[in-house]
């Protein structure tokens, strides 16, 4: 069931990038409720256009394609790009070159706000016994995390220099349910993801803001107090899954870096040749 965040704000044309990805497929039918036209893009197959949808098959590294993609758009939800640790080249093309193309195209066409899917892996090398604010300095746990930190910095620059507003979502683990003990802290339900994205699109003034994307979980490593102006109120919690998760994973190996650091297995993935 869709969450239908309570807002009267409605966009003429919203762009959702990465619409064929895991979270993109979730958000695509949900975002339609908040706009007249939903433009969706991906380098992969997007299926048939639903009523009120425009489909664009474009890769982030295609500068001309990205320029066309952003034309006539009021705001962007940018989920596109590489979303796991991978070899350097795909990360470079999608998350560095591609994000630059996105912001440049936004500048050229006067787009005012971007909701940028950053990641908790920007701060994945903090320990699990630390609670971070949204102003925590990056400690990326992977090249992927480094690329998301680049995206955050680029967004900050485009606000300071050109006034394009961004909410950078340091998304935790957005899946149907938490898959392991780590995700009891990092889990973000799909309904809360929708609430977070819609709040980020509709908050009156965001400048450049960072917020962690998590549900109202009892265990948490992140504190969103300084992002309260966004008005995000999570309504789900990983706690309903705790007993089942702990039964599935009764023991934790505290010598494993994945159990020590917030980024989990990302801290020991790679290098790739
Ligand atoms: C991410 O950034 C990934 O996109 C996602 O696949 C998960 O692994 C998530 O982080 C996580 O930290 O669980």
């Amino acid at each position: 069931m869709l969450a239908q965040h309570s807002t009267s704000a409605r966009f003429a044309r919203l762009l959702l990038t990465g619409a064929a990805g895991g979270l993109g497929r979730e958000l695509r039918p949900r975002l339609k409720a908040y706009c007249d036209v939903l433009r969706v893009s991906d380098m992969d197959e997007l299926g048939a256009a639903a009523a009120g949808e425009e489909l664009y098959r474009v890769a982030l590294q295609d500068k001309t394609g990205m320029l066309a993609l952003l034309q006539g758009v009021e705001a962007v939800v940018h989920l596109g790009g590489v979303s796991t640790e991978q070899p350097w080249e795909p990360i470079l093309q999608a998350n560095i070159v591609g994000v630059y193309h996105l912001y440049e195209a936004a500048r050229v066409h006067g787009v005012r706000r971007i909701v940028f899917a950053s990641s908790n892996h920007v701060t994945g090398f903090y320990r699990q016994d630390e609670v971070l604010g949204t102003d925590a300095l990056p400690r990326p746990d992977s090249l992927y995390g480094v690329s998301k930190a680049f995206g955050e910095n680029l967004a900050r620059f485009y606000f300071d220099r050109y006034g394009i507003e961004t909410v950078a979502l340091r998304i935790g683990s957005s899946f149907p349910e938490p898959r392991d003990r780590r995700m009891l802290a990092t889990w973000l339900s799909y309904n809360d993801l929708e609430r977070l994205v819609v709040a980020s699109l509709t908050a009156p003034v965001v400048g450049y803001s960072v917020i962690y994307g998590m549900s109202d979980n009892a265990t948490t490593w992140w504190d969103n107090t300084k992002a309260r102006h966004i008005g995000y109120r999570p309504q789900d919690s990983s706690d309903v899954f705790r007993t089942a998760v702990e039964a599935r994973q009764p023991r934790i190996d505290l010598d494993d870096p994945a159990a020590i650091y917030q980024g989990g297995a990302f801290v020991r993935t790679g290098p790739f040749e």
Side-chain angles (χ1 to χ4, degrees):
M1 217 209 353
L2 312 187
Q4 294 283 311
H5 186 86
S6 55
T7 177
S8 54
R10 212 178 150 79
F11 295 88
R13 181 178 279 102
L14 262 186
L15 168 62
L16 172 67
T17 72
L23 298 187
R25 286 195 303 272
E26 265 311 308
L27 279 182
R28 181 172 167 181
R30 295 166 183 262
L31 286 183
K32 188 64 200 63
Y34 306 99
C35 56
D36 298 331
V37 176
L38 181 66
R39 182 174 293 176
V40 297
S41 74
D42 208 291
M43 63 191 289
D44 291 331
E45 174 61 43
L46 284 160
E53 277 189 351
E54 297 173 344
L55 270 44
Y56 279 61
R57 191 98 183 253
V58 54
L60 298 168
Q61 53 269 40
D62 172 0
K63 187 177 179 182
T64 315
M66 289 300 287
L67 207 56
L69 181 66
L70 273 280
Q71 186 161 25
V73 159
E74 217 179 319
V76 182
V77 178
H78 180 56
L79 303 185
V82 168
S83 64
T84 54
E85 182 65 328
Q86 288 188 23
W88 172 241
E89 198 53 34
I91 288 177
L92 171 66
Q93 292 308 322
N95 293 11
I96 307 276
V97 175
V99 174
Y100 170 69
H101 288 162
L102 177 84
Y103 275 87
E104 260 305 280
R107 181 187 66 76
V108 167
H109 294 302
V111 176
R112 303 309 305 162
R113 188 174 296 186
I114 295 178
V115 176
F116 169 62
S118 183
S119 170
N120 75 91
H121 296 286
V122 167
T123 50
F125 253 127
Y126 285 92
R127 293 168 53 94
Q128 294 187 8
D129 55 10
E130 295 174 277
V131 177
L132 313 179
T134 54
D135 51 0
L137 289 178
R139 278 181 87 171
D141 58 22
S142 48
L143 293 175
Y144 163 64
V146 171
S147 73
K148 289 296 182 183
F150 169 84
E152 290 188 359
N153 277 327
L154 191 77
R156 163 140 248 163
F157 168 65
Y158 271 78
F159 174 67
D160 289 341
R161 182 72 178 77
Y162 304 112
I164 299 173
E165 292 193 302
T166 289
V167 181
L169 312 179
R170 287 186 181 165
I171 297 175
S173 309
S174 198
F175 296 105
E177 46 185 83
R179 294 173 171 173
D180 54 25
R181 285 204 187 213
R182 171 179 171 271
M183 290 192 191
L184 292 173
T186 61
W187 188 61
L188 173 67
S189 73
Y190 289 149
N191 278 346
D192 281 342
L193 170 70
E194 177 184 343
R195 291 183 185 102
L196 177 61
V197 167
V198 174
S200 302
L201 283 169
T202 56
V205 179
V206 298
Y208 169 76
S209 296
V210 173
I211 184 167
Y212 281 91
M214 59 182 165
S215 284
D216 186 18
N217 309 324
T219 305
T220 178
W221 307 321
W222 309 320
D223 176 356
N224 277 333
T225 305
K226 288 187 176 163
R228 287 185 67 167
H229 57 283
I230 292 168
Y232 166 57
R233 286 247 174 97
Q235 288 175 31
D236 297 321
S237 166
S238 65
D239 296 347
V240 294
F241 302 103
R242 181 175 292 275
T243 309
V245 169
E246 288 178 353
R248 264 200 323 266
Q249 194 190 357
R251 298 173 65 84
I252 296 175
D253 174 8
L254 287 175
D255 291 328
D256 181 357
I260 298 172
Y261 297 104
Q262 297 187 3
F266 279 65
V267 305
R268 52 169 163 67
T269 306
F272 297 95
E273 295 303 321

